[in-house]
Amino acid sequence: MYGSVIIMFIVILYPLLWTFGLSLNPGSSLFGASMIPENWSFKHYSWLFTNPESDYLTWYKNTLIVAVSTSIGATVFVSLVAYAFSRYRFVGRKYGLYAFLLLQMFPVLMAMVAIYILLNLVGLLDSLLGLIIIYIGGAIPMNAFLVKGYFDTIPRELDESARMDGAGHFRVLFTIMLPLAKPILAVVALFNFMAPFMDFILPRIILRSPENYTLALGLYNFVNAQFANNFTRFAAGSILIAIPISIVFLMLQRYLISGLTSGATKG
C-alpha cells in the first residue's frame, strides 16, 4: 500500500518539479534546460508582469473573472435545481434525473459546433460572458445530481417544521438546506472555480481576440506561435496558475472531504 502511495506521489510531484525548475532556467529553450539549473533566475516571472509585450496580467484577470463568475453562478443554479428535484414531486422529475445521467455520458466535444453556432447567433461569440454562460450551463447536470443526493440525506422534518412556522420555499432553502449542505456546495464551488484555469478547448473555440484570452489559451501561444520558443516563460506562467486555486482550496478545505464522500455515496 505504501509503495503505491510513494509511486503515485512521485508521478504527481516529478512533473511539477520539472515545470518549476524549467521556469528558473535562464534560457528560453526546452532543450538544454535542467530541473535544477545552476544559474537559476526569476526573470521569466518578472517578464510576465513587467514586459509591455506580455498580456499575462490581462489573461489572468480574464480567467479570474470567468472562474469566480462560474463558481458563484454554478453553485447558485445547481442549488436551486437540486433543491427542486430533492424536495418536490412534479411531472417529468424522474425523466429529468435520467436526462442528467444521460448528458454526463457524452463528451463536451460533441456540442462544440452547436455551442459555436448558438453563441454566434446571440452575439456572444468572442466574449467572456458567453464563455461563463456555457460553463455554468455545463456544470448543472452533473453537479445537480451530486447535490441532490446530499439534499436527500437532510431530514424532511426540518422543512416541515420551518413551514409550520411560516417559512416559504426560499427561506427553507437559504436558512436550512444551504447551511447544512456547505460541504457539497464547497465541492461544487471549487471544481467550477478550477475549470476555467484548466480548460483549453472551449476558450479556443469561443475566444478570438487576444485581449479576451484566458490563461490556458494565452500560454498556449507561447509555444505554438510561429518561431515561438518560450517554454520557460510558459512554465513560469503555468506555475502561477496554482496560486488562486490553492487559496480557494485552503479556504474550503474543511468542507471538501465530507462533501465528496457524502454527495457521492448517498441519495
Side-chain angles (χ1 to χ4, degrees):
M1 176 179 178
Y2 290 106
S4 301
V5 172
I6 293 173
I7 292 174
M8 291 304 301
F9 181 77
I10 294 174
V11 169
I12 295 173
L13 187 61
Y14 183 74
L16 295 177
L17 291 177
W18 246 113
T19 304
F20 181 67
L22 182 63
S23 69
L24 298 180
N25 278 265
S28 61
S29 175
L30 180 64
F31 300 100
S34 60
M35 188 168 64
I36 305 177
E38 296 181 1
N39 301 317
W40 57 272
S41 171
F42 287 98
K43 70 175 186 178
H44 301 302
Y45 293 93
S46 176
W47 184 92
L48 292 174
F49 293 101
T50 60
N51 195 294
E53 298 179 2
S54 173
D55 294 322
Y56 188 78
L57 283 176
T58 302
W59 302 337
Y60 216 110
K61 180 192 69 174
N62 293 341
T63 309
L64 285 175
I65 291 173
V66 174
V68 172
S69 302
T70 300
S71 180
I72 296 174
T75 304
V76 171
F77 282 103
V78 164
S79 300
L80 295 173
V81 173
Y83 179 67
F85 276 96
S86 175
R87 286 302 193 258
Y88 301 114
R89 299 295 180 267
F90 50 87
V91 177
R93 175 181 178 274
K94 179 179 179 181
Y95 294 105
L97 292 174
Y98 288 155
F100 284 165
L101 290 174
L102 186 64
L103 288 172
Q104 298 177 47
M105 298 179 185
F106 297 98
V108 180
L109 284 174
M110 294 181 61
M112 290 301 177
V113 175
I115 289 173
Y116 182 90
I117 295 174
L118 179 61
L119 291 179
N120 190 37
L121 288 175
V122 298
L124 290 177
L125 197 65
D126 193 23
S127 72
L128 296 181
L129 178 59
L131 186 62
I132 292 169
I133 292 174
I134 297 302
Y135 276 137
I136 293 176
I140 291 176
M142 180 182 69
N143 291 295
F145 197 83
L146 189 68
V147 177
K148 184 262 181 190
Y150 196 97
F151 280 168
D152 288 344
T153 66
I154 300 176
R156 292 178 179 270
E157 289 78 6
L158 296 176
D159 304 22
E160 297 170 359
S161 299
R163 290 196 176 92
M164 290 179 63
D165 292 335
H169 299 302
F170 283 99
R171 187 173 180 183
V172 171
L173 173 63
F174 288 106
T175 62
I176 296 177
M177 301 294 288
L178 295 187
L180 293 176
K182 284 181 180 178
I184 195 63
L185 295 180
V187 173
V188 173
L190 177 63
F191 285 176
N192 285 283
F193 182 83
M194 292 170 55
F197 286 93
M198 307 300 180
D199 188 25
F200 167 77
I201 297 178
L202 188 58
R204 179 68 173 177
I205 293 174
I206 295 176
L207 304 177
R208 291 290 180 267
S209 304
E211 62 270 17
N212 290 332
Y213 282 177
T214 58
L215 278 172
L217 186 54
L219 290 175
Y220 174 73
N221 289 332
F222 278 180
V223 294
N224 182 64
Q226 188 176 17
F227 307 119
N229 192 25
N230 298 316
F231 286 95
T232 48
R233 292 173 185 170
F234 175 88
S238 302
I239 291 294
L240 294 176
I241 291 177
I243 295 177
I245 297 176
S246 300
I247 292 174
V248 173
F249 177 82
L250 292 174
M251 291 171 59
L252 302 177
Q253 184 179 14
R254 58 176 176 165
Y255 302 115
L256 292 176
I257 297 178
S258 59
L260 282 170
T261 55
S262 298
T265 59
K266 297 181 181 180

